[in-house]
Amino acid sequence: MSTAHLTLIGKPGCHLCDDALGVVTTVLAELAAEPGSPTVLLEEKSILDDPELHELYVEDIPVLLINGLVHNYWRIDPARLRTALLEVR
């Protein structure tokens, strides 16, 4: 079974970040119920806690990384995320 590492980068009080987290948690809950789906580890990071992340992503939050690579900015499409996670090897 494969493992995907998701990193959601945002900041407190960001409504798009809250929306993105909602989409991600919904997709993860749906995948967890399916046999053979990957194990997914989710980490949330704030640009307010990390100057490097702030510099990289201040205009782009929320940002979702899958295994360290940018998957999406601003709005997370649930179908696209689901497909990407099922393709993780």
Side-chain angles (χ1 to χ4, degrees):
M1 186 183 315
S2 57
T3 300
H5 298 270
L6 296 184
T7 307
L8 183 59
I9 302 168
K11 70 176 183 178
C14 166
H15 74 281
L16 289 177
C17 301
D18 295 339
D19 291 349
L21 180 59
V23 169
V24 169
T25 56
T26 298
V27 169
L28 295 185
E30 292 169 355
L31 281 178
E34 294 183 24
S37 62
T39 300
V40 180
L41 306 173
L42 174 61
E43 178 181 17
E44 292 181 71
K45 292 187 176 184
S46 171
I47 62 169
L48 301 180
D49 298 332
D50 185 322
E52 184 177 339
L53 290 178
H54 185 275
E55 178 145 339
L56 285 171
Y57 300 119
V58 68
E59 298 294 326
D60 298 321
I61 61 170
V63 179
L64 182 64
L65 309 178
I66 300 177
N67 293 335
L69 301 174
V70 173
H71 170 72
N72 230 94
Y73 297 98
W74 303 305
R75 298 200 185 273
I76 308 303
D77 178 83
R80 184 169 177 260
L81 175 58
R82 176 178 166 53
T83 299
L85 290 173
L86 290 173
E87 291 175 351
V88 169
R89 299 280 172 228

